[in-house]
């Protein structure tokens, strides 16, 4: 596609539920990032993929968060046992490769945990 | 620990005047800096970047200045236009890392 797309655009769930957030990067982009933006804050790094592998997952807050990118394109961020503090906008970005570090962001998924 | 700081949460500027947005960083390993612009309900949009080997980069109405000794960069927009009203984020990274560190953003309002 022309840009990074993310689905759903909005997700409301109840505390304790499981959610999946999807990211379709720009075709051909090998690097993929997940960020989280809470109200009044800047985007906060979660995880970085180079191809299919998670090259850096140091930003994942705890083991309730997990992300995959099985074919090196689409990525899914998975959150188990959601908590109210997980409410945020989850942003996905992709770039051609790490040597050309200008990530292009998607519109984000707004997650609300009630 | 906030490695990139934008100490001004908001800024208002008259149309046609210059907007100056500031950013400070603490990590001396950072060698690449970016500015993103964000409208409500949209993802951040890349605006302009600068490598640490330069002290200035210009693109149309937008100029970024880097002062490595002060660990400070600024974005100048001149002339400012109402369509520039948005939240601006400063970001930084190093060639040894994969993360981009973002500031908390500055909300710019350009008054017609």
């Amino acid at each position: 596609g022309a840009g990074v797309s993310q689905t759903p655009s909005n997700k409301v769930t109840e505390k304790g539920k499981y959610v999946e957030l999807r990211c379709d990067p720009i075709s051909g982009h090998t690097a993929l990032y997940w960020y989280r933006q809470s109200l009044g804050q800047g985007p906060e790094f979660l995880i970085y993929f180079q191809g299919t592998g998670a090259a850096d997952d140091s930003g994942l807050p705890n083991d309730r968060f997990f992300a995959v990118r099985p074919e090196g394109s689409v990525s899914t961020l998975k959150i188990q046992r959601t908590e109210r503090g997980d409410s945020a906008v989850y942003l996905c970005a992709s770039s051609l490769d790490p040597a050309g570090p200008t990530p292009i962001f998607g519109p984000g998924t707004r997650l609300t945990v009630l | 620990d906030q490695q990139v700081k934008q100490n001004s949460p908001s800024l208002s500027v008259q149309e046609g005047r210059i907007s100056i947005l500031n950013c400070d960083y603490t990590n001396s390993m950072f060698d690449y800096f970016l500015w993103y612009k964000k409208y409500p309900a949209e993802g951040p949009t890349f605006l302009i970047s600068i490598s640490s080997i330069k002290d200035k980069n210009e693109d149309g109405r937008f100029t970024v200045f880097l002062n490595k000794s002060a660990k400070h960069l600024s974005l100048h927009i001149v002339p400012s236009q109402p369509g520039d009203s948005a939240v601006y984020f400063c970001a930084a990274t190093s060639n040894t890392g994969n993360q981009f560190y973002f500031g908390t953003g500055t909300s710019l309002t350009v008054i017609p």
Side-chain angles (χ1 to χ4, degrees), chain B residues 35-39 43-47 83-89:
Chain B
W35 284 94
Y36 282 85
K37 174 180 175 179
K38 187 180 184 303
Y39 293 117
T45 303
F46 170 72
L47 198 55
D84 297 329
S85 298
V87 177
Y88 289 77
F89 291 99

Side-chain angles (χ1 to χ4, degrees), chain A residues 33 35 37 42 45 58 101 103 106, chain B residues 32 36 43-44 46 89 98-100 103:
Chain A
Y33 307 81
Y35 279 78
Q37 186 175 12
F45 172 80
S58 62
Chain B
Y32 190 72
Y36 282 85
F46 170 72
F89 291 99
N98 305 308
Q99 296 188 29
F100 290 80

Side-chain angles (χ1 to χ4, degrees), chain B residues 26-86:
Chain B
T26 58
N27 190 337
S28 57
M29 297 298 293
F30 287 153
D31 58 7
Y32 190 72
F33 305 88
L34 307 90
W35 284 94
Y36 282 85
K37 174 180 175 179
K38 187 180 184 303
Y39 293 117
E42 295 184 12
T45 303
F46 170 72
L47 198 55
I48 192 169
S49 63
I50 189 166
S51 163
S52 60
I53 62 173
K54 293 185 168 184
D55 55 17
K56 176 182 173 180
N57 189 26
E58 189 173 352
D59 183 3
R61 297 185 297 114
F62 303 90
T63 303
V64 55
F65 295 92
L66 176 62
N67 183 334
K68 289 186 289 294
S69 61
K71 294 193 181 68
H72 176 85
L73 63 156
S74 61
L75 174 68
H76 292 210
I77 307 173
V78 56
S80 302
Q81 299 175 352
D84 297 329
S85 298

Side-chain angles (χ1 to χ4, degrees), chain A:
Chain A
V4 178
S5 62
Q6 293 186 246
T7 54
S9 55
N10 279 284
K11 176 71 177 178
V12 180
T13 191
E14 293 180 343
K15 180 173 177 287
K17 299 287 189 184
Y18 168 82
V19 296
E20 288 190 352
L21 311 179
R22 176 187 166 108
C23 172
D24 279 88
I26 293 172
S27 178
H29 280 194
T30 59
L32 186 144
Y33 307 81
W34 282 99
Y35 279 78
R36 173 169 75 173
Q37 186 175 12
S38 301
L39 197 61
Q41 301 298 312
E44 176 189 20
F45 172 80
L46 295 177
I47 188 169
Y48 159 70
F49 287 89
Q50 178 55 30
T52 59
D56 184 350
D57 64 357
S58 62
L60 295 177
N62 52 60
D63 62 5
R64 295 187 297 104
F65 288 75
F66 189 71
V68 295
R69 194 186 185 199
E71 297 177 0
S73 178
V74 171
S75 176
T76 304
L77 178 66
K78 308 180 181 194
I79 311 174
Q80 299 178 321
R81 304 183 304 281
T82 51
E83 299 177 357
R84 292 195 180 90
D86 299 334
S87 297
V89 175
Y90 288 81
L91 294 162
C92 177
S94 68
S95 66
L96 194 56
D97 60 49
T102 306
I104 308 298
F105 280 87
T109 292
R110 180 174 295 279
L111 175 66
T112 303
V113 182
L114 300 177

